[in-house]
Amino acid sequence: MNIEELDAPGYERVVYASDENSGLKSIIAIHSTKLGPAAGGCRMYKYGTVEEAKTDALNLAKGMTYKNAAASLPLGGGKSVIIADPHKDKTPELMQAFGKFVNALEGRYYTAEDVGISVEDIAEAAKFTSYAAGLSEGPFGSGDPSPVTARGVYLCMQVAAKYGLGSADLKGKTIAVQGLGHVGMYLCEFLANAGAKIIATDINQKAIEEAKSRFDATIVAPDAIYAVEADIFAPCAMGGSVSANSISQLKAKVVAGAANNQLADADCGQLLADKGILYAPDYVVNGGGIINVAAEILKISDQAWVNEKVERLATTTDQILSEATANNVLPHKIADQFVDNILASA
């Protein structure tokens, strides 16, 4: 395996690994270890270039620094990406090589599941590193973090609805869910149980059929999800979907979802506010999964610890939206300042 350092100002370490035998091409980005070892999932995606993969890894790693800090976890921010098609290129050998790559960083970075990576995949990586979490077995195995992520999103969405719609009760509300992956599907379950109406989209036909069958979801084309008549727009797919173009189409009054890096650029927060749309900062809302993984990393077997941390995400969201509303400041600016204060005092 060949491992080389990549230049990334403002990041502690960014490395690229390639392995001819397994076909591995992967980047691990460590943004900060100020609060503890970097932790963040591994994403497998068919990136067009290494540079594209690097950009995604950098954005995600920085997001993890903020997510972990906002969740009051003693962990820094890092992320890994594998350049491959998860439906065609994934093999046990590939994931085992990735495990060796993680191990080479000697504990400065812990990996777990993310888009395109399952519990079974992480188990393969864990055969060659002790710095993998989200495992289903072992004394502290936390399993799939997706349902915990979804629960946190659901709790924070209720808070956002209180500020953006006038009531935290989601019964009868219409939620536009973009993405029916692991987290999106679990979120739909929470929403359906609450009596919400679901409009959903995905490129996976099997997921679409499941959402229709289980939740009586109305299905629309991927490009049509932005313009549907909905109370809340929940991005639960890849990042950057809240862009100038999509904002111009949104009819929802609240944006709250599970995706990372939802805002396509720095101007989008203001564009949302200009349309009277309330944005619940993504890295606060979607922190449930890393809390679940953190329990495994920190060797905490008490489920009450996880539950309390996840419920605290809703409290933090409430504090952020309350301050943003009272002072007429963009919510993500309040969230960033909240985390910057934590990091400054570390």
Side-chain angles (χ1 to χ4, degrees):
M1 181 183 298
N2 180 55
I3 299 177
E4 60 181 287
E5 303 287 333
L6 300 181
D7 184 47
Y11 288 72
E12 291 186 11
R13 194 176 181 192
V14 181
V15 284
Y16 171 71
S18 57
D19 181 63
E20 189 173 338
N21 292 332
S22 66
L24 177 72
K25 294 180 181 178
S26 178
I27 294 171
I28 295 176
I30 296 175
H31 176 254
S32 171
T33 56
K34 201 168 187 180
L35 296 176
C42 174
R43 173 172 294 185
M44 184 180 289
Y45 186 74
K46 192 178 179 181
Y47 298 97
T49 64
V50 172
E51 193 60 33
E52 182 185 336
K54 177 186 173 185
T55 298
D56 200 27
L58 294 179
N59 290 336
L60 291 166
K62 184 176 181 180
M64 288 308 303
T65 295
Y66 279 70
K67 182 185 299 191
N68 291 335
S72 302
L73 298 174
L75 297 171
K79 203 78 174 185
S80 54
V81 299
I82 297 175
I83 305 169
D85 185 335
H87 303 294
K88 298 178 181 178
D89 304 326
K90 191 190 297 179
T91 64
E93 291 75 22
L94 182 74
M95 293 309 303
Q96 289 166 16
F98 172 69
K100 294 175 184 177
F101 179 29
V102 171
N103 209 54
L105 272 67
E106 300 178 328
R108 291 189 67 195
Y109 166 71
Y110 281 81
T111 193
E113 297 85 353
D114 194 9
V115 175
I117 297 292
S118 68
V119 173
E120 292 75 19
D121 298 328
I122 289 297
E124 290 296 336
K127 291 178 180 178
F128 290 89
T129 183
S130 57
Y131 306 115
L135 300 168
S136 59
E137 298 180 352
F140 301 99
S142 60
D144 183 5
S146 302
V148 188
T149 303
R151 179 168 180 260
V153 173
Y154 171 69
L155 294 175
C156 293
M157 186 182 287
Q158 289 178 305
V159 173
K162 180 178 74 171
Y163 287 92
L165 303 175
S167 171
D169 188 0
L170 298 181
K171 184 176 182 179
K173 299 293 191 294
T174 300
I175 319 297
V177 179
Q178 181 190 44
L180 293 167
H182 293 300
V183 177
M185 197 69 78
Y186 280 114
L187 177 61
C188 285
E189 185 174 348
F190 281 106
L191 295 173
N193 289 338
K197 300 173 185 176
I198 298 168
I199 302 175
T201 193
D202 201 282
I203 58 174
N204 184 327
Q205 189 61 35
K206 184 178 178 182
I208 287 171
E209 294 301 325
E210 181 180 347
K212 285 169 63 177
S213 172
R214 291 180 60 195
F215 314 120
D216 195 28
T218 299
I219 304 300
V220 299
D223 289 344
I225 193 69
Y226 304 108
V228 300
E229 295 286 347
D231 298 293
I232 298 173
F233 173 59
C236 297
M238 299 294 279
S241 67
V242 182
S243 63
N245 178 55
S246 65
I247 292 169
S248 69
Q249 301 174 59
L250 285 178
K251 295 182 174 67
K253 290 298 182 184
V254 172
V255 173
N260 291 308
N261 302 326
Q262 293 170 21
L263 302 182
D265 57 54
D267 297 328
C268 290
Q270 186 62 56
L271 292 177
L272 286 171
D274 291 344
K275 280 196 71 174
I277 300 172
L278 181 72
Y279 172 63
D282 52 18
Y283 61 77
V284 180
V285 170
N286 64 18
I290 193 61
I291 291 171
N292 200 58
V293 167
E296 186 172 347
I297 294 172
L298 302 172
K299 296 180 170 52
I300 297 171
S301 57
D302 183 6
Q303 187 61 38
W305 183 88
V306 173
N307 293 338
E308 188 275 330
K309 288 280 189 184
V310 172
E311 288 162 8
R312 194 186 298 178
L313 295 176
T315 303
T316 301
T317 300
D318 200 320
Q319 292 171 343
I320 289 168
L321 296 183
S322 175
E323 186 173 341
T325 302
N327 298 298
N328 196 29
V329 179
L330 298 177
H332 74 283
K333 297 288 188 183
I334 298 293
D336 287 353
Q337 188 59 58
F338 173 75
V339 171
D340 287 341
N341 291 340
I342 293 172
L343 294 173
S345 62

